[in-house]
Amino acid sequence: MIPYGKHSVDEADIQAVVEVLQNQFLTQGQQVPAFEQRLCEYTGASGAVACNSGTSGLHLACLAAGVTVGDLVWTVPNSFAASANAARYCGADVDFIDIDPITRNLSVEALAQKLQQAKKRGRLPKAIVVVHFAGSSCDMNAIAQLTAPYDILLIEDAAHALGGKDKDGHRVGACHYSAMTVTSFHPVKSITTAEGGVVFTNDPYYESQLRLYASHGITKAPKSLPEGHENEPWFYAQQSLGFNYRLSDLHAALGLAQIQRIDTFIAKRLEKAKRYHKALSSLAVKRPVLDENSAWHLYMIEVVPAHRTRIFNALRDQGIGVNVHYIPIHLHPYYQSLGFSLGDFPHSEQYYNGAITLPLFPDLSVKDQDTVIATLGEVLK
Ligand SMILES: *Cc1c(COP(=O)(O)O)cnc(C)c1O
C-alpha cells in the first residue's frame, strides 16, 4: 500500500536520538531549549514553547489566552477535531465558520457575516482558531482586519503548515497576525518528533503562561516566588492548575535533526503537488488551488459525491492508501450532542462528501506517484 503520508527519517536523525540516549538527559536537558531556539530562528517568532503534541499545544494556547467557562471560541468544521476540542478542554463553547469551497479554508465572507450576527446578538468569540488546511495559509491579513475592532484573539492551527508562508510572504509560525501559532510534529506532518508540537508567540506574557501551563503550573523563577525563600534552593511554587505537556529531549533531538531538512521536504512536496496538478488536469476531479506558498501537507481531490465511496474503495483495493480529510467536526456525535446538526455548514459538508486525499510525502517516488495517477485514471472510467 502506498500510504497517504509518511515520515522521512535518515541516519543522522537516528544518530541524534541515540546520542541523547547514551550521553545526556532524557528529558529537561539541553535538547528542548536548542530545538525551541532553532524553531524561532526558522520562523522568526521570538518565542517557542515545545510540547508533547499539537493537541496539547492547542490546549496550551487556549489556556494562555485565558479561554474559560462562559467564553466562546470559533474554528472551522473542515479540520481535525483537536482544533475545536482545545476550547472545550477549557470549558468554552465552540461554534464554527464555514469554509470557502475553492480554498477549503475559512471563508472570509462567512466570517464577516458571522461577526455581524454575533455583534447584534451581543456574543462575540474570545478567540478564533484559524486552520491552514492542507498547508495553505488562510487569508490572515483579511481575517486580522475583520477581527481587529472586536479584540478577538487569533490562534493559528498550523499543524499542516510549518515550512509554508502566508499570502504576504511571512513564514507560518511568525505570528505576524496572530497571538499564537501551534504546529504538530506527528509523523505525517512537515517534520516529526514522533509525537510533539510547539506554540509560537511574540508576546512574552503568553510565552510565560505557555511554559507555566506546560509544566504543572509550577515555577522556580525567583521573581514569581513568594518572599522569604531566598535560601531554599529546593523551593518551587504551583501558581495555577497546569499539566505535564513537556516534550522530552529524545523527541527534541529528532526534531533538531529533522528541521535541518525542512526546506528540502517542503520543496519535494511542492514538486509532487505540481506533478499531480498537471497530470490530473484532464481527469474529472476538482484539484486544490496550486498555492506555491503552501507546505503541501495534503493533496486532496474532489470527485462526484455519489461516486466517492466506490472510487475510494477501488483505489484502496489497488494498493493506493487514500484517505479523507476531514469529516466535518460538527458531524461527530460528540459535537452533535452539543446541538450541531447536518446542514449547519454546507460548504464543509459538500467538500467532505467528494473529498479524497491522495498520497503525498517527501519520499514518494515518481514511480509510485505515476501508479497513483494511472490507477485514479482507470478507476474514474
Ligand atoms: C495533526 C493535527 C492536530 C493535532 O496534532 P497532534 O500532534 O496529532 O496532537 C491538530 N490540528 C490539525 C489540523 C492537525 O492536522
Side-chain angles (χ1 to χ4, degrees), residues 52-56 58 79-80 82-83 131 157 159-160 183-186 189 195-197 297 326:
N52 58 10
S53 74
T55 302
S56 11
L58 287 165
S79 186
F80 185 55
S83 306
V131 183
D157 179 343
H160 298 180
T183 196
S184 160
F185 303 126
H186 181 276
K189 309 286 164 81
E195 295 282 358
H297 169 54
Y326 283 101

Side-chain angles (χ1 to χ4, degrees), residues 17 41 63 124 143 186 198 200 284 298-299 318 337 345 358 360:
V17 176
E41 287 162 7
L63 289 164
L124 286 152
I143 294 168
H186 181 276
V198 66
F200 295 104
L298 300 171
Y299 192 95
Q318 306 270 340
S337 79
F345 304 99
L358 300 180
L360 177 65

Side-chain angles (χ1 to χ4, degrees), residues 79 93 120 187 256 261 272 346 370:
S79 186
D93 297 323
K120 261 189 223 150
L256 259 172
R261 288 186 289 149
K272 288 163 217 298
D370 285 344

Side-chain angles (χ1 to χ4, degrees), residues 190-237:
S190 301
I191 59 168
T192 191
T193 62
E195 295 282 358
V198 66
V199 188
F200 295 104
T201 184
N202 294 320
D203 185 324
Y205 170 74
Y206 290 139
E207 186 180 343
S208 68
Q209 291 297 104
L210 292 164
R211 288 200 191 284
L212 200 60
Y213 280 112
S215 208
H216 310 278
I218 285 175
T219 180
K220 283 192 102 167
K223 266 191 289 181
S224 313
L225 297 179
E227 274 175 44
H229 301 277
E230 291 76 15
N231 299 319
E232 301 171 355
W234 68 86
F235 195 79
Y236 60 78

